[in-house]
Amino acid sequence: MAASRTASVHLSPTPADRPVYVVGAGPGGLAAAYALRARGIRAVVLEKADHVGASWRGHYDRLRLHTTRRLSALPGLAMPRRFGRWVSRDNVVRYLEKYAEHHELEIVTGVEVHRVERTEDGTGWLLRASGGRELTGSAVVVATGFNHTPRIPGWPGREGYGGEFRHAGEYRNAEPYAGRDVLVVGIGNTGAEIAVDLVEGGATRVRLAVRTAPHILRRSTLGWAAQYTGVLVRRLPVRLVDRLAGLVGRISVPDLSAQGLPRPGTGLYSRVKQGSIPVQDVGLIDAVRKGAIEIVAAVEAFEGGKVVLADGSRVSPDAVIAATGYDRALEGLVGHLGVLDEHGRPVTRGGRTPEQAPGLYFTGFTNPISGMFREMALDAIRIAKAVGKRIG
């Protein structure tokens, strides 16, 4: 995408050679760039791919937002009503493209930022990027994405496994698996949805390996989206939300203990605070109840062409799909600045900046029950306000 510099926005006296650099042209980065420009601050988005929304383009075909269209729009542009309530992957990509065009954002593609450092004089930030580029900015917004680098556990024997194995990030649709026996590893939203997709796409057998039973929510009940509840309760005490969620869960979700999915012993919001998001039901409950998806124990190892499960059993699927999540992969970029926690996640978000790294901002590295797009939209406004105060 070509950079656009034709917007009739009065730019602040930020030095021309020191714009605010936004790393990543996904929803968080684009929202932050717009919010900065809306305050008259020059924002340059650096994207390693050749188009915006690269991560979204790579997701599986049936993916839809689990948050409503109205509460998923980024600042300054509503999502079209024709996208429906639950926006599809392709329409998310269309929206991000339109967003960048509509706001005439300054985007430079094909540039990967490898390392962010303080300038020698301590007044700004130096970005070391592909092609030997060294870019100096007044502030930096890191928006490289929640789903950055596929994570595959170090299962013993996995490297020597001769069967078909792939991470969920490579999965597109069920067509290659029709008539086959597939083991999906991991029951987050991705694993659950891929398992349902495989059943509907004609796989002869679908097993879902589960280590810890998740909280399962109906995406919508009598027209009331689960996201609405997430927004309303996000500031309530954790114990109170756990009790409320437990009551709602017992009413709305059947007990699947007989099928291998007992109700979790830990409260829903307690899990969220630990980084575990509830699974939104898009057909999982019915498929498990009917036996179309078989729940099995967690994967422990690969041995002799078989998959060894935590209960000691061994299975021999035709294919294994590891829905085992992603790493933020921020260590090389900013790890030397002391701004990450023990899990590699930023210690601040939105308008807050680390004390030891003033002018460094992060967005899109949490997955709150109130909706990631919604929170990135709010973060963008907070970041722009904070930057405006800092450089104003």
Side-chain angles (χ1 to χ4, degrees):
M1 177 179 296
S4 173
R5 297 178 173 81
T6 61
S8 57
V9 178
H10 172 68
L11 298 181
S12 74
T14 304
D17 59 340
R18 288 197 175 187
V20 174
Y21 282 109
V22 180
V23 186
L30 297 180
Y34 161 72
L36 288 162
R37 286 187 61 85
R39 285 183 169 267
I41 300 169
R42 184 185 176 204
V44 178
V45 182
L46 304 175
E47 169 55 50
K48 69 177 181 179
D50 59 1
H51 39 234
V52 304
S55 177
W56 271 91
R57 295 170 191 270
H59 287 315
Y60 49 93
D61 294 349
R62 71 172 284 155
L63 179 64
R64 290 180 177 270
L65 287 176
H66 290 164
T67 53
T68 65
R69 170 181 52 80
R70 291 184 62 190
L71 292 186
S72 299
L74 302 178
L77 186 67
M79 286 188 172
R81 291 178 60 87
R82 67 178 182 277
F83 285 0
R85 193 181 197 195
W86 312 106
V87 183
S88 70
R89 177 203 63 184
D90 290 346
N91 280 335
V92 169
V93 172
R94 292 186 182 99
Y95 173 71
L96 297 178
E97 291 175 337
K98 181 63 177 179
Y99 192 86
E101 177 186 357
H102 178 79
H103 292 306
E104 299 183 306
L105 301 181
E106 188 173 350
I107 301 171
V108 183
T109 58
V111 175
E112 182 175 5
V113 179
H114 301 298
R115 188 176 175 90
V116 176
E117 304 172 352
R118 291 291 283 167
T119 55
E120 289 187 5
D121 61 8
T123 62
W125 291 93
L126 175 66
L127 290 76
R128 300 188 186 276
S130 54
R133 297 176 179 87
E134 293 187 352
L135 310 169
T136 305
S138 58
V140 176
V141 181
V142 179
T144 48
F146 192 83
N147 296 334
H148 188 276
T149 302
R151 180 195 308 127
I152 298 177
W155 289 306
R158 208 277 298 174
E159 294 297 333
Y161 179 64
E164 180 179 337
F165 179 96
R166 64 183 61 218
H167 188 271
E170 301 177 274
Y171 180 89
R172 293 297 172 268
N173 56 59
E175 184 176 352
Y177 304 97
R180 303 176 71 192
D181 178 339
V182 187
L183 172 67
V184 181
V185 185
I187 194 173
N189 278 294
T190 297
E193 191 156 358
I194 287 176
V196 171
D197 196 42
L198 288 165
V199 168
E200 295 177 353
T204 54
R205 186 175 190 179
V206 178
R207 284 174 282 202
L208 185 56
V210 177
R211 184 171 300 278
T212 304
H215 285 276
I216 302 175
L217 297 177
R218 300 286 189 183
R219 186 168 64 177
S220 178
T221 302
L222 300 176
W224 179 265
Q227 183 190 11
Y228 297 162
T229 303
V231 172
L232 292 174
V233 306
R234 70 192 189 285
R235 299 191 187 280
L236 294 178
V238 173
R239 289 184 179 180
L240 175 59
V241 179
D242 281 348
R243 288 198 295 269
L244 294 173
L247 175 62
V248 172
R250 287 189 292 274
I251 294 173
S252 62
V253 177
D255 186 358
L256 300 174
S257 298
Q259 290 78 26
L261 279 181
R263 297 191 189 278
T266 308
L268 183 150
Y269 206 24
S270 293
R271 287 272 191 93
V272 170
K273 291 296 186 179
Q274 296 168 2
S276 179
I277 299 301
V279 171
Q280 299 258 8
D281 177 46
V282 291
L284 176 70
I285 293 173
D286 287 343
V288 170
R289 291 179 72 182
K290 295 174 182 176
I293 294 176
E294 304 171 46
I295 303 299
V296 298
V299 170
E300 289 293 315
F302 290 77
E303 184 180 291
K306 297 181 182 294
V307 183
V308 182
L309 304 181
D311 60 4
S313 62
R314 285 167 165 75
V315 296
S316 302
D318 298 321
V320 177
I321 299 173
T324 46
Y326 295 81
D327 291 320
R328 311 295 85 81
L330 292 169
E331 288 79 7
L333 186 68
V334 297
H336 55 286
L337 298 171
V339 297
L340 305 178
D341 65 15
E342 65 273 19
H343 302 293
R345 298 174 299 205
V347 296
T348 62
R349 54 165 284 198
R352 295 184 296 117
T353 186
E355 184 177 349
Q356 68 275 35
L360 181 63
Y361 302 88
F362 296 91
T363 183
F365 295 101
T366 61
N367 196 4
I369 58 175
S370 51
M372 183 181 287
F373 270 57
R374 179 182 182 275
E375 293 303 320
M376 286 190 292
L378 295 173
D379 277 352
I381 303 301
R382 296 177 185 128
I383 289 170
K385 182 178 180 180
V387 172
K389 288 182 178 180
R390 180 172 295 277
I391 69 176

